[in-house]
Amino acid sequence: MLYHIYELQHATISPLRVAADMGKKWMRNPVNPWSYTQPGRTSAAVLDVFTHITNRYGKPEFGLDATVIDGESVPITEEVVYAEPFCRLLHFKRETAHLKQQPDDPRVLIVAPLSGHFSTLLRGTVETMLPDHDVYITDWIDARQVPVHLGHFDLDSYVDYIMRFLRHLGPNTHLIAVCQPSVPVLAAVSLMATGDEPCQPASMTLMGGPVDTRENPTEVNKFALQHDLEWFERNVISHVPLPHAGVMRRVYPGFMQLAGFMSMNWDRHVAAHHDMFTHLVEGDGESADAKRNFYQEYLAVMDMSAEFYLQTLKVVFLEHELPAGTMRWQGIPVDPSAITKTALLTVEGERDDITGMGQTRAAHKLCSNLPDNMRMHHLQSGVGHYGVFNGRRWREQISPRVKDFIRRQDHEGKGVNSAPAKPKTETEAAE
């Protein structure tokens, strides 16, 4: 019923949005004398903001057509190298045939979060890694587009997907997990280590992930603990309606997750749209477009399968199974202490209001048998959750550490003599 109300609301407001779009274009038409007046610009700005916030955005494109390697432009081709019903393994293939010296760069699998937004939210992460790495990413598929006959998808399935992708890519692959996937990534690596599989990753970087939400709990964590699993199933789970391909699939709708994100920083979002309105009135199209582009990405949301959402709530936020030592995958115990061949880097943001400080660093305590020279922690000052993997601080301060860590482990995995590791600072050294 919840989904049907949302669809009805969207259908009801669509004619108003079309009318507003036509009005906006007329108010900005050079042949209209009102377009040169303050009231005309203000009216156009109001209609522009209205069409923007009431639109429903589909999956964005990565749009990464090229990168620069050793000062030369290198075209990028997106290719799907492995596909499952709920995820595609996407490769950003660098066309380096024209380079005199072919790069021998580390192979990196970026595991994007499955938490309401599309994998394109990590566009900046991918773009920063491309010049120095062979990059793959998990491109999650909107659950409302997956027909029911293709089966279910839960947290166990997520862990299984990661292991399948690692086996497909082969040995000496490096993992980067951004936020939500930190737990399933750590679980997948633990299971592969327990089985002493040859395709265990050379390193894993966990960034802003809820490994142990008992550490420094945020408002998100507290809200989860205020309700039992039945409450969430009763109040936020719905069935996909027609005409979507996944009709009758039980999902946690993306618009519910978006509403939660927006409510956490409502004043900030209101201020951003007010600024956008002001820029439009003043004719500052560049600043208005920057706001518009960000929100076109932010407002593009996807549904998650109900079983994945509910199992994640139970395992990660309610019962803390991984740090408590009770997590199982298809009945098999998950034991991070088995990890001895995969180096670990954890990254946290000082101002992260979604994953509190200490929650990601907790992974070091779980990987108790990992040698000290294969672990590192970095706390980035002055950034919130989004800044851990995107923006200026990510590009200038966080990514160089991540790249250096991966490069050192890659050299060791390939049997290459690498330069001595830099001494760990107080914030970098893992406990």
Side-chain angles (χ1 to χ4, degrees):
M1 189 64 180
L2 182 68
Y3 219 131
H4 289 83
I5 294 174
Y6 170 73
E7 292 287 344
L8 178 62
Q9 180 190 42
H10 177 72
T12 302
I13 207 169
S14 291
L16 297 177
R17 185 171 58 253
V18 172
D21 186 59
M22 293 175 62
K24 172 191 69 178
K25 293 176 180 177
W26 171 241
M27 285 295 180
R28 289 179 177 158
N29 194 312
V31 303
N32 181 4
W34 273 80
S35 65
Y36 302 98
T37 67
Q38 183 70 17
R41 290 195 299 270
T42 301
S43 299
V46 169
L47 296 172
D48 196 334
V49 173
F50 176 80
T51 58
H52 170 72
I53 63 177
T54 59
N55 196 14
R56 184 159 64 182
Y57 298 97
K59 180 184 176 182
E61 298 290 334
F62 275 100
L64 300 174
D65 300 322
T67 189
V68 176
I69 300 177
D70 294 332
E72 293 194 48
S73 179
V74 175
I76 299 295
T77 302
E78 292 183 20
E79 58 177 4
V80 177
V81 297
Y82 196 102
E84 293 286 351
F86 287 85
C87 187
R88 308 183 309 164
L89 181 58
L90 188 63
H91 181 209
F92 295 91
K93 184 180 180 181
R94 303 178 300 175
E95 306 292 349
T96 59
H98 66 288
L99 298 181
K100 294 181 180 179
Q101 184 172 352
Q102 294 299 305
D104 182 24
D105 292 332
R107 180 172 58 251
V108 172
L109 169 57
I110 299 176
V111 185
L114 181 54
S115 55
H117 285 105
F118 291 95
S119 302
T120 51
L121 190 69
L122 302 189
R123 183 185 295 104
T125 315
V126 174
E127 185 176 22
T128 302
M129 300 300 290
L130 273 173
D132 309 295
H133 303 83
D134 184 20
V135 180
Y136 296 76
I137 194 170
T138 55
D139 189 23
W140 300 105
I141 297 172
D142 192 340
R144 68 181 171 189
Q145 302 300 336
V146 182
V148 174
H149 73 267
L150 292 180
H152 79 291
F153 179 86
D154 58 12
L155 186 59
D156 281 356
S157 307
Y158 195 123
V159 174
D160 187 41
Y161 276 23
I162 294 171
M163 291 191 290
R164 291 188 192 187
F165 293 159
L166 286 170
R167 291 165 188 149
H168 177 78
L169 293 175
N172 210 37
T173 299
H174 302 265
L175 283 172
I176 297 179
V178 179
C179 187
Q180 171 270 323
S182 292
V183 169
V185 161
L186 187 52
V189 176
S190 300
L191 291 163
M192 296 181 77
T194 299
D196 196 23
E197 295 196 26
C199 293
Q200 296 175 60
S203 74
M204 60 176 165
T205 300
L206 310 181
M207 305 176 62
V211 175
D212 189 350
T213 58
R214 299 172 297 183
E215 299 281 345
N216 193 21
T218 63
E219 291 302 317
V220 175
N221 309 142
K222 294 174 183 176
F223 178 80
L225 291 172
Q226 290 170 0
H227 306 85
D228 57 24
L229 203 60
E230 289 71 25
W231 184 92
F232 285 101
E233 187 166 11
R234 188 171 58 251
N235 289 279
V236 302
I237 300 301
S238 186
H239 288 86
V240 176
L242 287 170
H244 304 292
V247 59
M248 293 308 297
R249 180 177 293 281
R250 293 177 72 240
V251 296
Y252 174 55
F255 61 83
M256 292 291 294
Q257 184 77 327
L258 179 62
F261 285 147
M262 297 286 282
S263 64
M264 287 178 59
N265 297 286
W266 183 251
D267 53 344
R268 187 183 306 172
H269 294 298
V270 171
H273 282 87
H274 180 269
D275 291 343
M276 179 180 172
F277 166 77
T278 303
H279 294 321
L280 289 168
V281 173
E282 294 174 349
D284 186 359
E286 185 175 349
S287 298
D289 285 342
K291 289 279 193 301
R292 192 195 315 277
N293 292 337
F294 171 80
Y295 276 100
Q296 283 178 349
E297 185 82 50
Y298 192 79
L299 297 175
V301 291
M302 59 185 294
D303 296 350
M304 292 172 272
S305 69
E307 56 270 21
F308 166 77
Y309 175 75
L310 294 172
Q311 190 184 2
T312 299
L313 269 176
K314 175 180 178 293
V315 171
V316 179
F317 296 98
L318 298 180
E319 299 184 4
H320 318 287
E321 291 185 10
L322 185 60
T326 59
M327 185 176 180
R328 290 176 174 269
W329 174 78
Q330 298 183 1
I332 302 173
V334 176
D335 181 15
S337 68
I339 299 174
T340 58
K341 298 179 180 179
T342 301
L344 172 64
L345 168 62
T346 53
V347 181
E348 296 180 336
E350 179 188 26
R351 299 178 181 176
D352 195 330
D353 58 353
I354 294 179
T355 304
M357 284 192 297
Q359 294 187 11
T360 311
R361 188 170 189 164
H364 289 281
K365 298 178 183 178
L366 303 181
C367 300
S368 55
N369 290 321
L370 198 61
D372 288 343
N373 64 346
M374 294 180 65
R375 61 171 80 227
M376 184 176 291
H377 176 72
H378 175 64
L379 174 63
Q380 180 61 49
S381 62
V383 301
H385 188 71
Y386 190 75
V388 170
F389 59 89
N390 221 329
R392 182 175 59 84
R393 296 282 179 86
W394 153 251
R395 292 191 301 271
E396 297 177 0
Q397 299 182 40
I398 300 175
S399 70
R401 297 174 185 272
V402 174
K403 292 179 180 182
D404 181 64
F405 184 80
I406 290 175
R407 182 70 67 173
R408 291 205 308 270
Q409 304 306 323
D410 194 70
H411 282 167
E412 293 178 10
K414 293 176 179 177
V416 180
N417 293 326
S418 58
K422 298 179 182 178
K424 300 181 180 70
T425 66
E426 183 176 353
T427 59
E428 290 175 327
E431 293 178 346

